[in-house]
Amino acid sequence: MLKGVYTAYTAMVNEQHRMDTMTNNLANASTVGFKKKGATSQCFSDVPTVKIKDRSDGHHAYAEHIGRNNPGVKIGENYTDYTQGSYRVTGNTYDLAIDGDGFFAIEFTNKAGETSTMYTRAGQFTLNKEGYLVNEDGDYVLDNQSRRIRLNTLLDSKIDEDGTIYQNDTAVARIGLTDFEDYDYLEKFGENYFQPVDGARFQDAEAKVYQGYLETANMSVVTEMVNMINISRAYETNQKVIQTYDSTLETAVTQIRRL
């Protein structure tokens, strides 16, 4: 059997996976607070090496199988790039951007009516008719005590860098900022929400809040387009490898059998 066919096939599947990741980044180029994703790959030699060094099952006196003999590439893990995006000036009172590490806390309500706390870098907020500070989806922004923030809609608001909201020179609320010790324990939810998973540890956010600004997506459209071109070329290269093997097999079947 020609193993090169399967090697090229796994490479094509991997490039398709990378392409899906890049196109999702491009689709969210204008999404406020979006954090781009990336994809990793593992070659066959790396996979057995990790398995051979694995002692999680204890020491056994017999040899264990390390998997099927597939010399192709293995799709690794997707990861999220949490680097800070650039700012866009809006001048809107309740448009907020975080400078530093941390997230806004949002009271999220799903379609079943269940509420939970989500975290986001998207600070495109506004006041609803009841005076509550909400995001574009109507979910409530929480203060530093995990409470909804309600303001007087008839008064102007000023927001300091520590997140304190002033009306008539009186502090009425403080926007809650939350950070985590390890972002590996964050799971992406939707376009720009994040939710902690088991093992996540909270910590105080050392960040500033800028009023009248929004954090844009931390990606470059040009860079993503270049990556997509490289992925397309790699896909086509592996496609030609399979076509070459196909031509070789056709020659073997139609000509060698005559001998």
Side-chain angles (χ1 to χ4, degrees), residues 13-254:
V13 173
N14 180 68
E15 297 302 335
Q16 181 62 56
H17 175 69
R18 292 179 61 203
M19 179 66 76
D20 292 341
T21 303
M22 295 299 107
T23 53
N24 179 68
N25 290 339
L26 281 174
N28 288 279
S30 59
T31 301
V32 176
F34 178 78
K35 300 302 178 187
K36 67 179 181 179
K37 300 194 72 174
T40 61
S41 306
Q42 293 177 306
C43 65
F44 176 72
S45 60
D46 291 337
V47 177
T49 299
V50 173
K51 183 62 179 176
I52 289 171
K53 294 181 179 180
D54 182 18
R55 293 293 183 268
S56 59
D57 295 332
H59 296 276
H60 299 284
Y62 55 89
E64 294 186 62
H65 294 290
I66 59 175
R68 293 176 295 179
N69 183 15
N70 183 359
V73 65
K74 179 181 183 295
I75 296 177
E77 298 179 351
N78 277 10
Y79 65 90
T80 302
D81 184 353
Y82 291 97
T83 56
Q84 185 169 306
S86 58
Y87 294 144
R88 185 175 82 237
V89 180
T90 65
N92 297 330
T93 303
Y94 299 108
D95 281 348
L96 306 177
I98 299 176
D99 179 24
D101 296 331
F103 300 86
F104 296 110
I106 306 294
E107 183 183 294
F108 173 76
T109 303
N110 62 19
K111 294 181 180 179
E114 301 170 338
T115 61
S116 60
T117 302
M118 295 287 182
Y119 301 90
T120 184
R121 296 279 296 192
Q124 206 165 7
F125 304 140
T126 186
L127 294 182
N128 63 14
K129 62 181 180 180
E130 298 174 343
Y132 287 103
L133 189 64
V134 296
N135 63 9
E136 285 187 315
D137 298 324
D139 295 321
Y140 297 97
V141 182
L142 302 179
D143 64 8
N144 57 339
Q145 301 295 324
S146 298
R147 301 171 300 190
R148 297 177 181 178
I149 299 175
R150 191 172 190 179
L151 305 174
N152 189 333
T153 57
L154 302 178
L155 299 177
D156 293 332
S157 297
K158 180 180 181 301
I159 304 175
D160 277 355
E161 292 183 353
D162 64 353
T164 303
I165 304 175
Y166 293 89
Q167 290 189 319
N168 278 347
D169 296 327
T170 302
V172 294
R174 183 176 180 182
I175 296 174
L177 294 180
T178 305
D179 198 12
F180 300 87
E181 292 184 4
D182 190 344
Y183 288 174
D184 288 339
Y185 291 94
L186 287 181
E187 182 180 64
K188 201 164 189 178
F189 184 89
E191 294 178 348
N192 51 21
Y193 277 147
F194 296 92
Q195 59 183 356
V197 298
D198 292 341
R201 295 184 179 182
F202 297 86
Q203 67 179 12
D204 294 333
E206 297 180 0
K208 297 179 181 179
V209 176
Y210 290 150
Q211 184 179 19
Y213 294 84
L214 289 176
E215 181 183 356
T216 60
N218 65 339
M219 54 163 290
S220 168
V221 174
V222 175
T223 301
E224 297 301 308
M225 289 297 295
V226 171
N227 289 336
M228 289 181 64
I229 293 173
N230 292 333
I231 291 171
S232 297
R233 289 176 177 173
Y235 187 92
E236 292 172 357
T237 299
N238 287 282
Q239 192 175 35
K240 290 178 180 179
V241 170
I242 293 180
Q243 291 172 348
T244 301
Y245 271 108
D246 180 66
S247 177
T248 302
L249 289 173
E250 182 180 4
T251 301
V253 172
T254 59

